[in-house]
């Protein structure tokens, strides 16, 4: 537990309102935290550092449930470490989001009847900066709503001056080390955004298309190939077959006629071809398919580009000028007219890549682009995990990481956009190529021009863990806060953002990885486990739930579902349940304050504590130890669940209830229990604070008079345990639970008083008779007491006189009717399950349902018979 050293002397508790109103509390509290500088980080501090970067949200973005989930986890980690005495930096900032931002501003221009080309590059970029200043970054305000404890004074933007210098510096170093080069390769091309896009910006979905089988060649030299993209056949430069395929060995090396063209193309043998799939022959279009490009490289095939950047056919002939989809239909029709269509399958469902920004079908396209040679960088990124310098949590995700970095292809880093970091390469009039670093003068003079492309957004965000700290300058912040302690991010960008940060961090920082641990979480889904999407109608705006239930309720719901690397289902009912938990904390603290709970002075000596007091303090220390261990293992769901059940069940439902008789009696025992209850609430509120910061701040400062729980000392396990007290209270709980269950079975109202005789002598329960009678509504037995029901439990006996409280005859009649119905249900289920003919024909799910009915009937019969046995004789 903690020493009770608070930032200000203890003051008389302020009376709490009868109800907790999050909307009245959250905004002012957050602004107070920021004004007091609680979230700022001092590079000169002698405290040990704890650093986490925010996965930078897009400047165009707004808070969605995925952000709220991830930010809740990061905030919980950093709040706890701050309370533990670390110099904690949660680094905020935003990504310039090249394609997304350019699209937003171009749409705005479109409303004015203009395009970016009407403005020109320089004016367009100025317009984007203007948009960013006026409308970008609304997510920052929404992060405040959630309670994000970030160091706002350190907020960075990937296009700001310092980060732009970092981008130019690392580009120059990689270029000089021959790890950046320019080459013509196949890339993902968006005909709408008119740029190359990264793999992560491609969304795959099953589309209905057509599979067309068509005949190439003539006579004995005929070969059938199939495609979903018939328009690309205009760019075919070969047909490939497997070298061991006996059907086509006579054709390998021959030239066959390519229909609708004046060309002949060779048949080549390549092991990439699967002889078992389709006809075992594939058309090869090196300029429009990544696999075909590789085949073309192996066989020195020409690459013919037959579509322009708008996906319009450029090949000479009747199809020139047609859009790719128009050309597809026209080419199939022309092939059909020549009798070359062997088979057509439509609709044919197949996976098709779409631009994640505009949903346009992407086009694989041969293009001159800038590339990073990732081989040595990826090897270093793999070695850092293999040798233990970086740990991936959960560990089973390591395999996915290695599968990626060990097979990483060179990375296309150029984008045909105007918004972004422009590639720092100049071309001279005589073919000169000059890469310019931040301290170099760009070439001037007639004929010199800068490359028009900008860098992939992931290039700058890959520098995030060190560029935000001032690199390439050797700043105090870089020395203090690099490497990051942990990276918390979704497993979905393990391959993209995480791998790039690993490669760049190790390269730029002399082999020091950017973080010690990569803690991966899953994706937020709806309560049925379905992906959230506007098109599915199940997308949720987290601000709506925060408005309705409070930010703490949303945060606690998300944390309680956060098992490492596993997707998180969430529904509104669960957020409402978390709101109820916040209300429970509020009401319990109000009760405690009204009954003298205090944090003043040391805890009384154990000899002055009741068994109930010793029990709750023993359990409190166990929970402190458990929560600490779970935090270190990033088990947010388990630690949230442990805190929920400890606070609600053990503190509020048991300790507070068991202590009521002590408080009512007054005197020294009441003062002792008041001090214990104050200690328990002090520690419990601190343990809960990282996840539910607003309600705990209000309650803790009221309870303790301290300045803020944000900077309070994190609880530690004092080592106090009392196994005997825990066993004693477990027995007490068993008695109360069993008698309550019996009362409910007999239909007694919760507040209905029943005469009872308690036999507690010789058990550890003797000191608890008053509490037992109070909690169970048991009145003294009286002169005419008649034990009509006897309950032996935990070594004690509770005898009840129900003769004046229930109509025994009517209750027996009701239970007999229920018993007959349960026995009938059982007989029907047994008959069906014993019928071999029925079992042979019935589906498995029907049989399973009947087995379930039999199990429930057995349980009902046992329960009703027990109730009948306990009833007094009529």
């Amino acid at each position: 537990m903690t020493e009770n050293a608070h930032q200000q002397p203890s003051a008389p508790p302020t009376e709490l309102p009868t109800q907790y109103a999050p909307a009245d509390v959250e905004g002012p509290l957050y602004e107070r935290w920021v004004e007091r500088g609680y979230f700022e980080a001092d590079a000169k501090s002698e405290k040990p550092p704890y650093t986490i970067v925010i996965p930078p949200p897009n400047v165009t973005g707004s808070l969605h449930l995925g952000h709220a989930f991830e930010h809740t986890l990061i905030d919980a980690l950093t709040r706890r470490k701050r309370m533990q005495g670390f110099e904690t930096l949660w680094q905020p900032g935003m990504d310039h989001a090249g394609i997304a931002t350019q699209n937003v501003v171009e749409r705005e221009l479109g409303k004015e009847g203009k395009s970016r080309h009407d403005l020109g590059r320089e004016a367009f970029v100025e317009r984007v900066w203007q948009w960013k200043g006026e409308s970008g970054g609304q997510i920052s305000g929404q992060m405040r709503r959630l309670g994000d404890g970030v160091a706002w004074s350190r907020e960075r933007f990937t296009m700001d001056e310092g980060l732009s210098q970092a981008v130019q510096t690392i580009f120059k170093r990689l270029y000089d080390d021959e790890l950046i080069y320019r080459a013509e390769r196949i890339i993902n091309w968006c005909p709408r955004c008119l740029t190359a896009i990264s793999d992560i910006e491609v969304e795959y979905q099953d589309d209905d298309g057509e599979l067309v089988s068509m005949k190439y060649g003539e006579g004995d030299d005929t070969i059938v190939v199939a495609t979903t993209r018939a328009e690309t056949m205009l760019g075919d430069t070969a047909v490939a077959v497997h070298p061991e395929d006996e059907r086509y060995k006579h054709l390998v090396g021959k030239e066959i006629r390519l229909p609708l063209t004046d060309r002949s193309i060779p048949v080549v043998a390549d092991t990439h071809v699967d002889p078992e799939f389709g006809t075992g022959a594939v058309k090869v279009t090196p300029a429009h398919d990544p696999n075909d490009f590789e085949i073309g490289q192996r066989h020195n095939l020409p690459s013919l580009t037959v579509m322009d950047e708008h996906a319009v056919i450029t090949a000479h002939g009747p199809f020139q000028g047609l859009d790719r989809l128009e050309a597809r239909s026209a080419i199939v029709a022309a092939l059909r007219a020549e009798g070359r269509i062997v088979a057509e399958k439509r609709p044919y469902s197949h996976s098709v890549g779409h631009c994640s920004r505009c949903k346009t079908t992407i086009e694989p396209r041969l293009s001159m682009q800038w590339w990073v040679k990732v081989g040595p960088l990826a090897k270093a990124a793999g070695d850092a995990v293999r040798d233990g310098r970086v740990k991936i949590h959960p560990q089973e995700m390591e395999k996915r990481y290695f599968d990626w970095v060990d097979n990483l292809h060179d990375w296309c880093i150029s984008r045909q956009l105007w918004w972004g970091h422009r590639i720092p390469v100049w071309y001279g009039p005589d073919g000169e190529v000059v890469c310019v670093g931040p301290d170099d003068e760009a070439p001037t003079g007639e004929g010199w021009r800068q490359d028009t492309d900008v860098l992939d957004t992931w290039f700058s965000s890959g520098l995030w863990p060190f560029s935000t700290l001032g690199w390439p300058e050797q700043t105090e912040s870089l020395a203090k806060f690099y490497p990051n302690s942990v990276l918390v991010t979704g497993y979905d960008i393990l391959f993209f953002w995480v791998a790039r940060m690993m490669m760049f961090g190790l390269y730029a920082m002399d082999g020091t990885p950017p973080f010690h641990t990569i803690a991966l979480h899953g994706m937020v889904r709806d309560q049925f486990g379905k992906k959230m999407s506007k098109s599915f109608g199940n997308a949720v705006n987290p601000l709506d739930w925060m408005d309705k239930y409070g930010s703490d309720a949303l945060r606690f719901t998300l944390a309680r579902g956060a098992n490492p690397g596993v997707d998180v289902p969430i529904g509104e009912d669960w957020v409402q349940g978390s709101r109820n938990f916040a209300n429970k904390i509020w009401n319990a603290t109000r009760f405690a304050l009204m009954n003298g709970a205090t944090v003043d002075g040391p805890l009384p000596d154990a000899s002055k504590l009741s068994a109930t007091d010793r029990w709750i303090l023993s359990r409190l220390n166990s929970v402190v130890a458990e929560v600490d261990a779970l935090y270190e293992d990033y088990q947010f769901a388990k630690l949230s669940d442990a805190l929920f059940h400890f606070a609600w069940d053990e503190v509020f439902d048991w300790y507070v209830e068991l202590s009521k008789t002590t408080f009512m009696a007054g005197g020294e025992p009441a003062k002792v229990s008041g001090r214990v209850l104050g200690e328990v609430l002090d520690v419990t509120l601190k343990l809960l604070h990282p996840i539910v910061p607003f309600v705990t701040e209000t309650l803790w400062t009221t309870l303790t008079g301290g300045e803020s729980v944000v900077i309070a000392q994190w609880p530690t396990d004092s080592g106090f345990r009392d196994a005997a007290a825990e066993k004693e209270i477990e027995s007490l709980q068993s008695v109360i639970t069993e008698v309550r269950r019996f009362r409910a079975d007999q239909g007694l109202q919760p507040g209905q008083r029943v005469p009872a005789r308690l036999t507690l002598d010789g058990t550890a329960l003797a000191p608890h008779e008053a509490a037992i009678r109070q909690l169970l509504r048991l009145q003294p037995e009286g002169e005419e007491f008649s034990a009509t029901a006897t309950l032996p439990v935990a070594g004690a006996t509770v005898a009840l006189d129900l003769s004046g409280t229930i109509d025994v005859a009517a209750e027996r009649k009701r239970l007999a009717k229920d018993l007959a119905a349960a026995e009938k249900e059982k007989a029907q289920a047994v008959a069906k399950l014993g019928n071999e003919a029925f079992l042979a024909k019935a589906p498995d799910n029907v049989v399973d349902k009947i087995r379930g009915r039999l199990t429930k009937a057995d349980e009902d019969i046992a329960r009703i018979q027990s109730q009948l046995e306990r009833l007094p004789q009529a």
Side-chain angles (χ1 to χ4, degrees):
M1 289 178 287
T2 65
E3 299 174 5
N4 286 283
H6 305 293
Q7 287 69 30
Q8 295 177 353
S10 223
T14 304
E15 185 176 343
L16 289 167
T18 55
Q19 290 185 325
Y20 176 49
D24 297 338
V25 170
E26 293 175 351
L29 265 188
Y30 188 84
E31 291 310 312
R32 190 183 313 154
W33 290 335
V34 173
E35 288 168 7
R36 292 178 177 178
Y38 292 157
F39 304 140
E40 296 303 326
D42 182 3
K44 293 183 171 65
S45 168
E46 294 184 1
K47 297 178 183 178
Y50 187 80
T51 316
I52 297 181
V53 294
I54 192 171
N58 287 353
V59 67
T60 59
S62 60
L63 191 76
H64 57 64
L65 271 178
H67 291 129
F69 172 53
E70 186 167 77
H71 292 198
T72 294
L73 304 187
I74 299 175
D75 198 37
L77 290 173
T78 53
R79 284 179 183 269
R80 172 175 173 260
K81 286 294 182 181
R82 188 178 294 113
M83 295 171 74
Q84 287 184 316
F86 286 77
E87 192 62 34
T88 303
L89 170 60
W90 182 9
Q91 173 67 53
M94 286 184 293
D95 192 288
H96 65 278
I99 296 177
T101 307
Q102 181 157 319
N103 281 349
V104 167
V105 178
E106 285 196 85
R107 282 197 296 270
E108 292 294 316
L109 284 174
K111 295 174 185 176
E112 303 170 13
K114 298 177 181 178
S115 74
R116 61 181 164 125
H117 299 285
D118 294 324
L119 271 66
R121 183 168 193 145
E122 186 174 336
F124 176 77
V125 171
E126 287 180 6
R127 180 69 177 261
V128 180
W129 277 108
Q130 179 186 341
W131 174 87
K132 189 242 180 204
E134 295 173 355
S135 307
Q138 63 173 313
I139 194 171
S140 295
Q142 296 164 348
M143 287 164 57
R144 293 171 181 262
R145 283 285 314 277
L146 189 65
D148 286 4
V150 299
W152 287 112
S153 69
R154 292 172 170 266
E155 186 173 15
R156 304 303 298 268
F157 180 55
T158 50
M159 285 283 287
D160 69 27
E161 184 177 352
L163 270 65
S164 294
Q165 182 184 17
V167 168
Q168 195 172 353
T169 298
I170 201 161
F171 186 100
K172 171 69 170 172
R173 291 187 187 179
L174 289 165
Y175 182 87
D176 289 347
D177 287 343
E178 298 184 349
L179 293 173
I180 281 183
Y181 63 94
R182 193 167 184 245
E184 199 173 38
R185 299 274 185 84
I186 291 284
I187 44 89
N188 302 310
W189 181 265
C190 176
R192 156 62 183 77
C193 298
L194 298 179
T195 181
I197 59 177
S198 66
D199 290 337
I200 199 171
E201 292 164 321
V202 179
E203 293 179 349
Y204 288 90
Q205 65 185 49
D206 288 340
D207 287 356
D208 282 341
E210 60 181 354
L211 180 68
V212 179
S213 297
M214 46 197 182
K215 186 168 52 177
Y216 286 9
E218 306 289 350
D220 293 339
D221 292 347
T222 296
I223 196 166
V224 175
V225 297
T227 184
T228 58
R229 300 164 66 216
E231 68 279 9
T232 64
M233 62 87 62
L234 299 174
D236 286 359
T237 56
V239 171
V241 297
H242 193 276
E244 303 302 322
D245 195 331
E246 294 293 335
R247 295 171 295 177
Y248 302 119
K249 279 197 171 182
H250 68 288
L251 288 176
V252 174
K254 285 189 175 182
E255 298 261 338
I256 60 173
R257 181 181 167 235
L258 179 65
L260 309 182
T261 71
D262 296 328
R263 295 188 291 116
S264 292
I265 57 177
V267 177
V268 299
D270 196 283
T271 54
H272 170 76
V273 180
D274 180 1
E276 303 298 323
F277 184 77
T279 63
V282 297
K283 58 190 287 300
V284 181
T285 320
H288 294 279
D289 183 274
N291 292 323
D292 292 4
F293 178 80
E294 297 297 331
I295 293 174
Q297 292 290 295
R298 288 193 289 272
H299 298 276
N300 296 315
L301 299 174
S303 296
L304 302 181
T305 299
V306 295
M307 273 180 271
D308 66 13
E309 64 270 22
H310 298 279
V312 170
I313 300 299
T314 57
H316 292 298
F319 311 109
Q320 187 175 10
L322 295 180
D323 170 81
R324 56 183 164 170
L325 298 182
E326 297 172 335
R328 185 175 299 171
S329 299
I331 286 171
V332 170
L335 290 168
R336 191 183 299 114
E338 286 191 5
R340 290 188 173 274
I341 298 296
V342 176
E344 297 178 70
K345 184 177 182 181
R346 61 170 69 88
Y348 177 73
S349 180
H350 62 124
S351 181
V352 177
H354 297 259
C355 174
S356 63
R357 302 300 178 191
C358 67
K359 310 309 176 186
T360 302
T361 300
I362 64 108
E363 191 66 42
R365 185 169 186 262
L366 187 63
S367 179
M368 181 66 77
Q369 302 285 345
W370 284 94
W371 304 80
V372 171
K373 186 184 295 183
V374 299
L377 302 174
K379 181 181 183 304
D383 290 345
V385 174
R386 286 189 169 95
D387 63 25
R389 282 176 290 156
V390 177
K391 296 186 183 304
I392 294 180
H393 187 86
Q395 192 174 0
E396 54 266 27
M397 288 285 183
E398 281 187 2
K399 183 180 183 302
R400 296 178 66 177
Y401 176 79
F402 292 136
D403 285 347
W404 180 257
V405 298
D406 292 348
N407 299 285
L408 202 56
H409 297 294
D410 284 1
W411 169 22
C412 176
I413 55 171
S414 45
R415 299 290 179 267
Q416 289 65 56
L417 304 171
W418 287 357
W419 172 245
H421 296 102
R422 195 163 173 182
I423 288 176
V425 172
W426 271 255
Y427 305 104
D430 298 318
E432 303 97 331
V433 178
V434 176
C435 180
V436 176
D439 299 324
D440 301 331
E441 290 289 334
T444 56
E446 187 176 349
W448 282 93
R449 59 183 178 83
Q450 186 178 357
D451 196 297
T452 57
D453 289 352
V454 300
L455 287 163
D456 178 11
T457 296
W458 295 101
F459 191 94
S460 51
S461 61
L463 314 181
W464 194 246
F466 52 93
S467 63
T468 51
L469 298 174
W471 186 91
E473 301 299 322
Q474 297 304 306
T475 64
E476 287 183 323
S477 290
L478 187 65
K480 177 74 174 179
F481 296 113
Y482 187 91
N484 291 189
S485 305
V486 60
L487 174 74
V488 178
T489 192
Y491 64 71
D492 57 320
I493 56 174
L494 172 64
F495 314 132
F496 305 102
W497 186 47
V498 179
R500 279 137 177 70
M501 285 190 291
M502 285 285 283
M503 291 190 295
F504 281 166
L506 289 159
Y507 174 79
M509 298 300 293
D510 299 321
T512 301
F515 17 74
H516 297 301
T517 301
I518 301 168
L520 298 170
H521 59 72
M523 315 303 293
V524 179
R525 297 182 177 272
D526 71 12
Q527 58 189 316
F528 306 108
K530 190 174 182 180
K531 180 181 178 181
M532 284 192 173
S533 165
K534 289 181 181 178
S535 61
F536 294 155
N538 63 349
V540 173
N541 183 345
L543 296 172
D544 293 341
W545 281 353
M546 287 193 281
D547 289 341
K548 194 170 183 180
Y549 302 111
S551 299
D552 285 333
L554 176 64
R555 288 170 62 115
F556 192 74
T557 304
L558 291 166
R560 206 171 175 195
N563 290 297
V566 178
D567 288 347
V568 182
I570 186 173
E572 186 169 1
D573 288 350
W574 305 342
V575 185
Q576 186 174 357
S578 295
R579 187 271 313 273
N580 295 343
F581 179 50
N583 289 341
K584 184 80 170 180
I585 303 170
W586 184 271
N587 293 332
T589 306
R590 285 189 72 246
F591 168 85
L593 290 170
M594 290 188 293
N595 285 276
T598 178
V599 297
D600 292 336
L603 279 171
D605 187 75
S607 62
K608 295 182 180 180
L609 302 177
S610 69
T612 308
D613 293 334
R614 296 194 308 276
W615 161 71
I616 197 63
L617 291 175
S618 181
R619 288 291 306 125
L620 180 65
N621 277 284
S622 295
V623 169
V624 169
E626 181 183 6
V627 167
D628 272 335
L630 291 170
Y631 259 117
E632 295 304 316
D633 200 33
Y634 305 99
Q635 297 282 356
F636 295 99
K638 290 182 179 178
L639 72 88
S640 300
D641 214 46
L643 286 170
F644 174 86
H645 288 293
F646 175 71
W648 192 307
D649 300 344
E650 298 186 75
V651 179
F652 306 147
D653 278 358
W654 282 111
Y655 182 71
V656 168
E657 291 299 317
L658 290 171
S659 299
K660 282 182 177 178
T661 53
T662 304
F663 289 131
M664 290 170 61
E668 187 61 26
K671 291 182 180 179
V672 170
S673 288
R675 178 65 189 88
V676 171
L677 180 54
E679 179 75 11
V680 171
L681 284 175
D682 176 19
V683 173
T684 302
L685 291 171
K686 287 176 180 175
L687 292 174
L688 284 166
H689 173 73
I691 299 174
V692 285
F694 295 108
V695 68
T696 52
E697 171 80 340
T698 306
L699 296 175
W700 186 86
T701 53
T702 303
L703 172 71
T704 68
E707 179 184 340
S708 173
V709 71
V710 175
I711 53 173
Q713 183 179 336
W714 181 255
T716 55
D717 176 9
S718 71
F720 176 80
R721 300 289 191 279
D722 192 325
E726 291 195 33
K727 186 175 181 181
E728 182 175 328
I729 301 305
E730 285 171 9
S731 298
L732 176 60
Q733 291 171 330
S734 296
V735 170
I736 293 170
T737 302
E738 184 63 22
V739 176
R740 280 177 173 168
R741 184 181 297 117
F742 176 75
R743 287 176 58 109
D745 287 344
Q746 304 310 313
L748 296 176
Q749 295 300 313
Q752 189 172 353
R753 293 197 167 273
V754 177
R757 176 186 298 146
L758 305 184
T759 306
L760 307 176
D761 294 343
T763 73
L765 298 173
H768 301 286
E769 180 168 352
I772 293 173
R773 287 188 177 277
Q774 172 68 24
L775 292 174
L776 292 173
R777 304 295 190 268
L778 303 179
Q779 64 190 38
E781 53 194 271
E783 293 182 2
E784 299 183 6
F785 178 82
S786 175
T788 57
T790 302
L791 305 175
V793 56
T797 303
V798 180
L800 304 173
D801 182 355
L802 304 179
S803 57
T805 56
I806 62 172
D807 184 337
V808 176
E811 185 65 12
R812 280 191 174 278
K813 185 175 181 180
R814 182 185 70 80
L815 290 173
K817 182 178 179 182
D818 290 346
L819 180 61
E823 288 175 336
K824 181 179 179 182
E825 176 74 5
K826 177 179 179 177
Q828 290 175 341
V830 168
K832 284 190 175 182
L833 293 173
N835 185 333
E836 295 296 335
F838 169 78
L839 292 176
K841 296 179 181 178
D844 290 344
N845 65 319
V846 173
V847 175
D848 289 342
K849 188 175 181 180
I850 293 171
R851 289 194 179 112
R853 285 167 51 191
L854 177 59
T855 299
K856 186 177 184 305
D858 282 333
E859 291 171 351
D860 289 343
I861 290 168
R863 175 179 54 80
I864 296 167
Q865 287 176 339
S866 175
Q867 289 177 246
L868 283 167
E869 290 170 4
R870 290 178 167 182
L871 274 177
Q873 296 301 312

